[in-house]
């Protein structure tokens, strides 16, 4: 293979995971929608006990930098507009409440599916179509104050530490 083709192939392999995340997530603030920016979780692994060169009970913590999300909701029943990416459905998405620490927001459990979450489905949300492939939705019950993320539960983890792409927001 020609060296230029190898570089192009490597570049495409780096870009393809970014292109797979083609959806848009917006939050209604005031009378207009504002795009929620995607953030990647960060992972810290604390080593556990070491017995005869065998590592036991290592603990992973997934967190987002900053004590609060940049985007605040207007009230405790925020309205979202989401356009799922190719091969995604609205039911793949869920809201997870984060715990706040001094300088970061932490997922209660490092594995997405082991957290308590509120899946975007009709029994928890009022959902209506918005255009060709977009949906508008808001929770049927008020959310508690705090930091939340909107996340695709079916996504493939990113990188060596298996981080996730999430959409953070703050409920006042």
């Amino acid at each position: 293979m020609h060296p230029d083709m190898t570089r192009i192939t490597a570049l495409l392999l780096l870009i393809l995971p970014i292109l797979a995340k083609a959806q848009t997530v917006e939050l209604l603030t005031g009378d207009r929608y504002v795009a929620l920016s995607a953030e990647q979780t960060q992972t810290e692994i604390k080593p556990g006990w070491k017995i005869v060169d065998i590592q036991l009970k290592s603990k992973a913590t997934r967190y987002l930098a900053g004590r609060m999300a940049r985007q605040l909701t207007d009230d405790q029943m925020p309205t979202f507009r989401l356009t799922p990416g190719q091969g995604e459905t609205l039911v793949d998405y869920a809201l997870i409440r984060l715990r706040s620490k001094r300088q970061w927001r932490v997922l209660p459990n490092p594995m997405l599916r082991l957290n308590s979450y509120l899946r975007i489905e009709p029994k928890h949300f009022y959902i209506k179509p918005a255009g060709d492939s977009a949906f508008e939705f808001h929770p049927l019950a008020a959310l508690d104050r705090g930091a939340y993320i909107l996340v695709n539960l079916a996504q493939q983890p990113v990188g060596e530490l298996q981080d996730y792409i999430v959409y953070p927001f703050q409920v006042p």
Side-chain angles (χ1 to χ4, degrees), residues 30 34 52 80 85 99 123 129-130 151 154 172:
V34 176
V52 191
F80 298 91
R99 293 183 319 202
K123 71 178 183 182
V151 62

Side-chain angles (χ1 to χ4, degrees), residues 2 27-28 35 52 63 81 126 139 144 146 151:
H2 192 270
L27 175 67
L28 184 65
V52 191
Y63 63 93
R81 183 168 54 194
Y126 173 74
D144 292 333
V151 62

Side-chain angles (χ1 to χ4, degrees), residues 39-140:
E39 291 184 28
Q40 183 173 325
T41 60
Q42 299 174 15
T43 302
E44 177 183 6
I45 297 179
K46 294 180 181 175
W49 310 324
K50 192 169 187 179
I51 301 174
V52 191
D53 293 333
I54 297 175
Q55 190 77 33
L56 300 172
K57 297 222 179 196
S58 294
K59 182 180 178 185
T61 303
R62 294 197 201 288
Y63 63 93
L64 293 171
R67 190 167 189 192
M68 291 179 59
R70 290 185 203 116
Q71 187 61 52
L72 292 174
T73 63
D74 289 341
D75 56 12
Q76 292 182 318
M77 295 180 71
T79 301
F80 298 91
R81 183 168 54 194
L82 186 138
T83 306
Q86 187 175 2
E88 295 178 345
T89 63
L90 188 61
V91 180
D92 291 336
Y93 287 85
L95 293 180
I96 298 177
R97 186 166 185 215
L98 304 175
R99 293 183 319 202
S100 293
K101 296 291 183 184
R102 290 183 184 177
Q103 297 300 321
W104 52 84
R105 294 155 286 152
V106 180
L107 267 132
N109 191 307
M111 300 298 295
L112 276 183
R113 293 198 178 261
L114 297 180
N115 289 292
S116 64
Y117 54 84
L118 199 58
R119 192 178 286 271
I120 311 300
E121 56 189 9
K123 71 178 183 182
H124 302 296
F125 289 85
Y126 173 74
I127 303 169
K128 67 179 183 177
D132 292 337
S133 60
F135 297 93
E136 287 182 6
F137 58 92
H138 65 82
L140 295 175

Side-chain angles (χ1 to χ4, degrees), residues 153-168:
L153 296 173
Q155 72 178 289
Q156 294 297 319
V158 178
E160 184 179 322
L161 295 176
Q162 305 292 298
D163 287 311
Y164 300 105
I165 304 296
V166 299
Y167 299 90

